[in-house]
């Protein structure tokens, strides 16, 4: 049976969509959903202290099994008190299983039923990652939520390739569940199946037969058009257990978050806020602002007048100056702004669901961002 330490409660829903308001409870705190998790791949959200991450409104963050196992090593992290103590974050942490790294390092990988074997991106040494090994590492890290190891493939893909990866993901999920020993760690399954709605439905149904504390939709945001992603969510989400949290992995743009919420997604993560921040792009309701542009040279306005982030204490002109001068403060400020923007967006979505006007909010932002594009 799923652990009683990780209950999920539905508090409300939107009458015109599948959007839902909930609370995912963990021993280290509650997550109000829908919610966005900043990505802290190597035990740090790039450029920000944990206090600054918390200041953005983040409730839960994400770490990565593969990267932390290679450097500094999961046994060292266990020795130093676990991932929470190691990085100084006392809230909930979700760890990805390494499945995406198998995909991203495909040229260096050999995938067999027993395990994936590939070369380290750091020193070229051989890395062998099986479902059991992934769970072993995540239990050593001590994360609150451990993802199952899955087989991700490029999209679009031949049906036979997608089918084989989906079937393997189901078998690997069962092996992850059987290998798990920690009662204080939740396990999330990952639904695969490419862009094939039938395979997605089948995978969702098979994963739902197993006792997971949550369910993720994976293998998306790998280059497919947004409309295809939304179609996959339309096919998949209705078959996932309503009493468990639903997590859309690696997505994405602000509009993708709201479209995911409209289809019943509760949790999101993506590197986009921080990666774009480091590259001088700020997210706003006006659309993205490219802060290296000359149009901001003498602009005294903040990025957003009502934003409480560190960047919005300064003018657009100052932020542009930081990037022009190559000052490290520029990426830090925009990373903080973008994460704050994502948290505020989903906080507004939660309020809109609670007040019965989420569909109105979604329609408004579709119009805003269509004009900005």
């Amino acid at each position: 049976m799923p652990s009683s330490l990780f209950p999920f409660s539905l508090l409300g829903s939107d009458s015109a969509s599948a959007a839902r308001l909930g609370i995912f409870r963990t021993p280290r705190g509650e997550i109000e959903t829908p919610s966005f998790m900043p990505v802290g791949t190597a035990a740090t959200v790039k450029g920000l202290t944990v206090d600054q991450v918390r200041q953005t409104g983040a409730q839960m963050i994400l770490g990565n099994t593969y990267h932390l196992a290679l450097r500094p090593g999961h046994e060292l992290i266990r020795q130093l008190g676990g991932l929470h103590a190691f990085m100084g974050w006392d809230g909930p942490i979700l760890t990805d299983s390494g499945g995406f790294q198998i995909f991203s390092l495909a040229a260096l990988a050999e995938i067999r039923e027993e395990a994936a074997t590939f070369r380290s991106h750091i020193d070229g040494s051989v890395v062998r990652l099986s479902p059991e090994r992934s769970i072993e590492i995540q239990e050593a890290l001590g994360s609150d939520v451990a993802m199952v190891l899955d087989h991700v493939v490029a999209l679009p893909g031949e049906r036979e390739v997608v089918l084989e990866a989906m079937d393997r993901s189901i078998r690997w999920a069962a092996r992850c569940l059987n290998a798990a020993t920690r009662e204080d760690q939740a396990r999330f399954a990952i639904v695969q199946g490419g862009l094939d709605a039938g395979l997605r439905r089948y995978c969702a149904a098979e994963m739902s037969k197993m006792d997971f504390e949550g369910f993720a939709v994976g293998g998306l945001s790998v280059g497919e058009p947004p409309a295809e992603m939304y179609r996959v969510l339309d096919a998949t989400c209705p078959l996932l257990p309503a009493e468990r949290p639903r997590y859309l992995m690696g997505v994405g743009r602000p509009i993708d978050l709201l479209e995911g919420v409209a289809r019943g997604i509760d949790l999101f993560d993506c590197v986009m806020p921080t990666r774009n921040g480091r590259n001088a792009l700020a997210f706003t309701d006006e659309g993205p602002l490219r802060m290296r542009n000359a149009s901001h040279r003498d602009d005294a306005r903040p990025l957003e007048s009502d934003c409480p982030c560190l960047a919005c204490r300064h003018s657009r002109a100052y932020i542009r100056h930081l990037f022009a001068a190559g000052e490290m403060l520029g990426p830090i400020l925009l990373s903080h702004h973008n994460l704050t923007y994502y948290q505020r967006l989903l906080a507004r979505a939660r309020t809109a669901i609670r007040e019965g006007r989420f569909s109105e909010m979604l329609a408004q932002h579709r119009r805003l961002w269509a004009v900005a594009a």
Side-chain angles (χ1 to χ4, degrees):
M1 293 294 293
S3 172
S4 60
L5 296 177
F6 296 90
F8 179 68
S9 303
L10 283 174
L11 305 179
S13 60
D14 178 55
S15 60
S17 73
R20 20 193 262 164
L21 184 71
I23 294 182
F24 179 44
R25 294 179 172 87
T26 80
R28 286 192 175 86
E30 298 179 348
I31 300 101
E32 297 180 60
T33 64
S35 182
F36 179 83
M37 298 178 287
V39 176
T41 299
T44 174
V45 177
K46 289 186 186 297
L48 301 178
T49 67
V50 290
D51 290 337
Q52 289 170 335
V53 174
R54 179 71 75 182
Q55 187 181 358
T56 69
Q59 305 171 79
M60 185 176 189
I61 62 174
L62 180 146
N64 186 270
T65 296
Y66 164 81
H67 289 281
L68 292 171
L70 290 186
R71 186 170 55 191
H74 57 288
E75 289 298 344
L76 175 61
I77 293 176
R78 187 210 300 266
Q79 175 186 329
L80 293 172
L83 186 54
H84 297 82
F86 184 63
M87 67 180 296
W89 174 266
D90 60 2
I93 298 175
L94 178 149
T95 43
D96 197 1
S97 64
F100 185 78
Q101 281 65 48
I102 295 174
F103 163 74
S104 63
L105 298 170
L108 306 174
E110 180 183 19
I111 302 173
R112 296 180 179 271
E113 185 65 23
E114 181 58 27
T117 304
F118 47 99
R119 296 282 179 179
S120 162
H121 73 288
I122 297 172
D123 60 10
S125 61
V126 175
V127 178
R128 186 175 183 274
L129 193 61
S130 67
E132 293 79 8
R133 181 63 170 163
S134 178
I135 291 297
E136 178 187 349
I137 294 168
Q138 292 181 83
E139 291 194 346
L141 295 173
S143 58
D144 302 278
V145 176
M147 302 303 300
V148 300
L149 187 66
D150 58 336
H151 186 178
V152 184
V153 295
L155 300 179
E158 295 182 4
R159 191 177 192 279
E160 292 74 14
V161 173
V162 174
L163 174 61
E164 179 184 20
M166 180 206 70
D167 283 337
R168 179 170 291 122
S169 294
I170 295 171
R171 294 190 295 270
W172 281 5
R175 287 170 57 186
C176 284
L177 204 56
N178 290 335
T181 64
R182 291 190 67 145
E183 293 184 359
D184 61 346
Q185 188 176 63
R187 271 72 54 173
F188 278 24
I190 304 176
V191 176
Q192 292 291 347
L195 300 178
D196 187 309
L199 293 183
R200 288 282 180 173
R201 285 191 288 265
Y202 174 81
C203 191
E206 290 299 304
M207 292 296 192
S208 298
K209 295 175 183 177
M210 294 184 253
D211 289 331
F212 288 102
E213 285 81 10
F215 295 84
V217 182
L220 295 173
S221 195
V222 291
E224 78 282 357
E228 289 291 276
M229 177 173 64
Y230 304 155
R231 181 179 61 80
V232 167
L233 293 178
D234 286 333
T236 306
C237 289
L239 293 180
L240 297 176
E243 69 279 8
R244 300 281 183 268
R246 301 165 180 169
Y247 165 31
L248 178 56
M249 304 181 73
V251 176
R253 303 173 304 158
I255 187 60
D256 294 332
L257 269 59
L258 293 187
E259 295 286 2
V261 169
R263 290 161 172 82
I265 295 295
D266 306 301
L267 296 170
F268 302 86
D269 83 280
C270 193
V271 299
M272 189 171 284
T274 47
R275 179 176 290 170
N276 278 280
R278 294 194 302 275
N279 288 283
L281 186 145
F283 290 104
T284 74
D285 277 350
E286 300 175 18
L289 301 177
R290 290 167 175 80
M291 297 310 299
R292 286 194 177 95
N293 287 0
S295 60
H296 304 299
R297 187 180 63 84
D298 58 356
D299 194 333
R301 295 175 297 165
L303 300 173
E304 293 189 298
S305 60
D306 61 343
C307 179
C309 81
L310 297 175
C312 287
R313 300 176 185 178
H314 303 283
S315 67
R316 298 183 185 190
Y318 179 65
I319 292 172
R320 179 184 181 274
H321 157 70
L322 293 175
F323 281 95
E327 290 289 340
M328 63 190 298
L329 184 58
I332 291 171
L333 290 179
L334 282 198
S335 294
H336 195 263
H337 170 79
N338 286 346
L339 285 177
T340 302
Y341 179 79
Y342 272 53
Q343 297 299 342
R344 294 176 73 218
L345 180 67
L346 287 184
R348 296 202 305 267
R350 293 193 296 269
T351 299
I353 296 169
R354 186 180 297 110
E355 296 176 355
R357 53 178 182 81
F358 175 77
S359 294
E360 175 186 336
M361 176 186 176
L362 175 59
Q364 177 187 20
H365 281 81
R366 281 172 175 166
R367 290 191 299 269
L368 281 172
W369 290 324
V371 171

